[in-house]
Amino acid sequence: MDWIYEFLSQNLATIYVLVLATFLGFELISKVPTVLHTPLMSGANAISGVVIIGAILLIRQSSSDDYLALSLGFVGIILGMINVVGGHAVTNRMLEMFKKKK
């Protein structure tokens, strides 16, 4: 139980940023009209690239016995790649709708 308090006290600024980013993202997405969700999702795919790079940096900087950091980095890479690949497929499908039929 002490390691939880120690982790929270050492990473308090990071936790504040995470909570603020979560609240801001939820408020921003809930205010966007449904017509703009698909173009916004395409833009969010680029942000997933930043998540993937951050996860790779996390894995590179963590020691080999820090299983929490390694697991979080692995999950970050997997979720980021799912978002990038799925968003790319949906964006291509959306762009196909705007092409003229021959």
Side-chain angles (χ1 to χ4, degrees):
M1 193 68 170
D2 290 337
W3 67 273
I4 294 174
Y5 293 124
E6 184 178 333
F7 177 79
L8 290 177
S9 65
Q10 289 178 353
N11 299 311
L12 196 56
T14 305
I15 293 170
Y16 284 147
V17 169
L18 178 67
V19 170
L20 181 64
T22 303
F23 178 73
L24 185 64
F26 179 77
E27 287 296 317
L28 180 69
I29 294 298
S30 65
K31 302 283 189 274
V32 171
T34 55
V35 175
L36 296 177
H37 275 202
T38 303
L40 264 180
M41 190 182 68
S42 298
N45 293 337
I47 296 172
S48 290
V50 175
V51 170
I52 294 169
I53 290 172
I56 291 171
L57 290 176
L58 175 69
I59 287 177
R60 285 193 56 167
Q61 290 179 350
S62 62
S63 62
S64 62
D65 59 344
D66 190 2
Y67 296 115
L68 178 65
L70 292 173
S71 300
L72 287 176
F74 178 73
V75 169
I77 289 173
I78 295 297
L79 292 178
M81 287 304 296
I82 288 173
N83 194 20
V84 167
V85 172
H88 182 72
V90 170
T91 301
N92 276 344
R93 185 174 174 193
M94 179 187 72
L95 291 176
E96 288 290 326
M97 293 179 0
F98 293 108
K99 287 184 179 177
K100 289 184 178 179
K101 306 279 186 214
K102 293 182 180 179

